[in-house]
Amino acid sequence: MDALSRKAIDTPVPMDDDLDEPADEGGKGGYGPIRRKGEASESGIIFQPAEVEDVVIETVDETKGEGESDMPYSKPQFPALTPKEQGVKKQMRRVPVPPHRMTPLKASWVQLIDPIVEHMKLQVRMNTKRRAVEIRNSEHTPDIGYLQKAAD
């Protein structure tokens, strides 16, 4: 009985002057619920902001060097694998040359081939029958991506 009497006290009672206002209170006739501080909703729940006390903030120190770590062991250092150790097979790219670009290609052939052969260690040849430049990797090619880079 105590709960019923308390609910009756907390429930707002409409007054005569409230009838002049539009009926938008409590979600009736309006677009959404209107919650006022200290008033209960239809379900009897009172919405009030909660206060937070004793908030603990931890700071993480990320300025530790490579030697200082919480891990029980250090990170292993492995050298990069060569293409031969990775088991890469011989691959070839064929770049077609259109007829109107054949003469400029012949004129600047040496300048185009030198960096590809010396730095990327790729094998390059011109197939005149197919009118294409063929690029192939070798066992001395340090990076697998060089073949695609040279073809582009």
Side-chain angles (χ1 to χ4, degrees):
M1 178 159 168
D2 187 45
L4 291 174
S5 65
R6 185 180 312 152
K7 188 172 182 181
I9 294 172
D10 291 340
T11 307
V13 178
M15 302 300 254
D16 292 336
D17 59 344
D18 289 340
L19 298 175
D20 297 335
E21 298 178 5
D24 61 350
E25 296 185 22
K28 299 175 185 175
Y31 291 105
I34 297 176
R35 295 185 181 123
R36 294 192 176 96
K37 189 174 182 180
E39 290 186 11
S41 64
E42 292 178 2
S43 62
I45 300 172
I46 299 175
F47 295 98
Q48 294 179 346
E51 294 183 18
V52 180
E53 295 180 8
D54 300 328
V55 176
V56 178
I57 300 173
E58 293 183 20
T59 58
V60 179
D61 187 20
E62 295 182 8
T63 59
K64 293 182 179 180
E66 289 184 24
E68 303 173 28
S69 174
D70 293 337
M71 294 191 310
Y73 55 89
S74 62
K75 183 177 178 182
Q77 298 292 325
F78 294 111
L81 293 176
T82 63
K84 190 174 185 179
E85 292 172 338
Q86 291 177 358
V88 175
K89 298 177 184 175
K90 294 259 183 181
Q91 295 180 359
M92 185 178 75
R93 299 283 194 278
R94 203 173 267 135
V95 181
V97 179
H100 73 283
R101 299 303 304 162
M102 191 65 76
T103 305
L105 177 65
K106 287 180 182 178
S108 62
W109 179 255
V110 176
Q111 290 85 17
L112 291 172
I113 298 307
D114 278 343
I116 294 173
V117 173
E118 290 178 11
H119 298 294
M120 296 183 181
K121 309 276 194 277
L122 295 171
Q123 298 173 350
V124 182
R125 75 176 186 171
M126 177 68 190
N127 190 340
T128 54
K129 186 176 180 181
R130 288 188 154 208
R131 291 189 177 154
V133 176
E134 295 177 352
I135 306 168
R136 179 171 79 168
N137 65 344
S138 67
E139 62 273 358
H140 303 292
T141 305
D143 188 13
I144 303 165
Y146 283 166
L147 185 62
Q148 184 64 39
K149 193 174 197 179
D152 291 341

